[in-house]
Amino acid sequence: GEFKWLGWYGHYLLVVAYDDASETFWVYDSWFGTSEVPMENATTDGRTLSYADADLQWRQFNRNYITLYRPEEAGLLVDIIGEDMDDAAMWQNSLSRTRSELQREPENAFLWFNLGTVYNALGQYEEAATAFDQARSIGLPWRMLWYQFGPYEAYYQTGRYEDIITLADVTLKDRPYFEEAYYYKGLALEALGDPAAARQNLEKAVNFNPIFQPAAEALATINE
């Protein structure tokens, strides 16, 4: 459509209805709005999105989701989510699914990125770093680290501090408003023995987002 020139972006979808017979979701889109005409909230019905298209886009974010439910419906929620209510089972299921998808699509950078995300969650940081390396080698959208920060964590846990600084600098170039990039750059600089520069970056993270607790906690421990 008319926004295609913008390239790859991430934005939230709120699913408000579905129909299994036609395999269709109705969604409110945080970027395009609620109607079929982008940027016009002309109807409360929502935009339509096929199950297939939704999953194709959703898996670019490792199929993350947030559930909204009434307290009295907690039991129903547990029944719907099933064994994935247990984090350990959820991540193992995600690992199996991602490996299976990669067997079919070994050149899909998003799937390699997802694999890195899963390995991070499992505490397998060397494997995570390798998966993120593969994703970057294949090629990711340049906005990828606006939304997901797994490479920073994997590289930090494996001592690849220079790589963190490089990624953060690229992400922050011309767009100096990502607290996560400042945070991880600060951690990397501290690990490299430059507490003054680390403090500067952590302060930028906190100033931009005062409720970003990881940066505030890291800043409190900096010794110059």
Side-chain angles (χ1 to χ4, degrees):
E2 62 183 293
F3 294 97
K4 204 171 199 56
W5 65 273
L6 288 170
W8 186 89
Y9 256 104
H11 41 106
Y12 285 98
L13 294 180
L14 174 64
V15 177
V16 295
Y18 67 94
D19 177 39
D20 283 338
S22 63
E23 297 190 344
T24 301
F25 288 121
W26 282 261
V27 302
Y28 292 175
D29 190 307
S30 64
W31 179 263
F32 292 132
T34 66
S35 77
E36 293 303 321
V37 180
M39 310 303 291
E40 290 189 14
N41 294 330
T43 173
T44 58
D45 292 341
R47 296 169 57 82
T48 57
L49 190 64
S50 72
Y51 285 6
D53 286 344
D55 190 62
L56 186 65
Q57 297 170 27
W58 189 23
R59 72 174 184 170
Q60 295 173 9
F61 292 85
N62 204 30
R63 298 184 175 93
N64 285 336
Y65 62 90
I66 299 171
T67 56
L68 304 176
Y69 63 97
R70 297 183 179 91
E72 62 269 21
E73 295 178 334
L76 176 61
L77 177 73
V78 171
D79 290 340
I80 292 171
I81 295 178
E83 67 175 351
D84 278 358
M85 288 293 295
D86 177 76
D87 284 354
M90 177 188 68
W91 287 117
Q92 285 298 329
N93 289 338
S94 182
L95 179 61
S96 297
R97 180 179 60 215
T98 304
R99 284 173 169 170
S100 177
E101 289 178 323
L102 275 169
Q103 287 182 343
R104 298 190 299 271
E105 302 175 64
E107 295 303 312
N108 189 311
F110 290 114
L111 295 179
W112 282 105
F113 197 99
N114 290 348
L115 186 64
T117 300
V118 174
Y119 277 134
N120 267 353
L122 294 172
Q124 297 176 231
Y125 297 110
E126 291 287 353
E127 291 86 347
T130 299
F132 288 128
D133 288 345
Q134 182 67 12
R136 293 173 57 208
S137 176
I138 294 170
L140 292 163
W142 63 272
R143 296 185 178 97
M144 193 70 176
L145 295 191
W146 287 19
Y147 311 105
Q148 302 186 73
F149 319 107
Y152 293 133
E153 181 67 17
Y155 295 163
Y156 181 73
Q157 295 292 344
T158 55
R160 292 172 55 177
Y161 308 124
E162 296 288 354
D163 286 335
I164 293 173
I165 294 170
T166 298
L167 285 179
D169 285 344
V170 170
T171 301
L172 292 166
K173 183 180 180 182
D174 300 325
R175 292 170 179 81
Y177 40 65
F178 297 103
E179 63 267 31
E180 295 86 359
Y182 284 123
Y183 166 66
Y184 278 104
K185 184 177 179 180
L187 295 185
L189 287 165
E190 182 185 25
L192 290 171
D194 192 345
R199 175 176 289 278
Q200 290 176 358
N201 280 273
L202 292 171
E203 286 176 344
K204 288 178 180 178
V206 172
N207 289 337
F208 185 75
N209 184 355
I211 64 172
F212 186 46
Q213 283 301 117
E217 292 170 3
L219 185 59
T221 66
I222 290 286
N223 294 312
E224 295 185 31

